[in-house]
Amino acid sequence: MTTTETELKALMLASQDGDAAAHRMLLERLSRHLRAYYKGKLARMGRSATEAEDLVQEAVLAIHLQRHTYDPQELLTPWVHAIARYKLIDFLRRNRASVADVPIDEADEITANDDHLSAESSFDVRRLLKHLPEKMQCSIEAVKLEGLSVAEAALRCGISESGVKVNIHRGLKTLAALIAQRTQT
């Protein structure tokens, strides 16, 4: 087991035991790792760093919501990597990426079955969304939860496509802050 694996696993176990400081540190450290992972993957596809940041926020949110499913008997990094990979696949599906845009060794992952958040986690996300402004809620629900394209979400929410993107980016950051705030209490 690597030093990083050992440290991250210790933080996850403390997080599962209710240690808010360990949870925040875990999410911060994972954010750095995920940022590098997504930037590398997206750069090979000619995608932007902004998209990588959105994916980091989505993955961190999923890790937070699904931390109760982590089995302490297993390594942590493969569990985190699986979540990160599924978030990337979801992103590519939502953005209508063609298989031609994906490196050949990852093309089979585009059609892989996605893991779905549990009903409890979905309820938690929808409850958290109620703390956001209406247009922000609409943007996140349409694109991130229902899988609509940005253009489809813009029509549904009555705002521009760039407005949808900004709302999603800011909304995910706000949700991450709300989660961090709630884990402190």
Side-chain angles (χ1 to χ4, degrees):
M1 207 177 321
T2 67
T3 304
T4 301
E5 171 68 28
T6 303
E7 292 170 0
L8 291 174
K9 186 171 183 172
L11 290 171
M12 173 59 97
L13 295 176
S15 173
Q16 285 180 320
D17 286 338
D19 184 336
H23 185 64
R24 280 190 307 282
M25 187 178 295
L26 172 70
L27 296 181
E28 287 170 14
R29 298 238 353 243
L30 288 177
S31 292
R32 287 194 299 265
H33 290 288
L34 291 168
R35 193 169 289 110
Y37 169 77
Y38 286 131
K39 282 183 178 180
K41 294 281 187 192
L42 293 174
R44 285 186 289 189
M45 293 179 232
R47 307 301 286 243
S48 76
T50 304
E51 293 170 315
E53 192 58 38
D54 289 344
L55 279 165
V56 169
Q57 296 297 325
E58 283 186 51
V60 167
L61 180 61
I63 289 165
H64 167 76
L65 294 172
Q66 293 298 306
R67 71 183 181 276
H68 67 280
T69 68
Y70 170 66
D71 180 355
Q73 302 302 314
E74 301 295 327
L75 294 173
L76 177 67
T77 51
W79 182 81
V80 169
H81 186 261
I83 291 171
R85 188 177 66 248
Y86 285 126
K87 290 299 173 185
L88 179 61
I89 292 167
D90 285 346
F91 168 81
L92 294 172
R93 284 181 185 149
R94 280 194 312 270
N95 289 284
R96 311 286 193 254
S98 72
V99 174
D101 295 333
V102 180
I104 192 71
D105 60 330
E106 297 170 20
D108 63 325
E109 292 181 2
I110 297 298
T111 58
N113 290 329
D114 189 11
D115 66 338
H116 296 283
L117 295 176
S118 69
E120 176 185 321
S121 296
S122 178
F123 175 75
D124 287 345
V125 169
R126 293 200 185 274
R127 195 171 57 213
L128 284 170
L129 282 172
K130 291 181 180 179
H131 294 281
L132 300 177
E134 184 179 331
K135 298 286 184 184
M136 206 173 273
Q137 281 181 44
C138 181
S139 298
I140 292 172
E141 285 175 350
V143 175
K144 300 298 184 187
L145 299 180
E146 296 173 27
L148 298 180
S149 70
V150 170
E152 293 166 329
L155 287 173
R156 177 186 285 182
C157 300
I159 56 177
S160 68
E161 289 182 30
S162 62
V164 169
K165 291 176 185 177
V166 168
N167 279 340
I168 291 170
H169 182 73
R170 289 179 181 166
L172 290 175
K173 285 185 104 162
T174 302
L175 288 174
L178 279 171
I179 289 167
Q181 185 178 51
R182 287 175 181 217
T183 58
Q184 290 176 356
T185 56

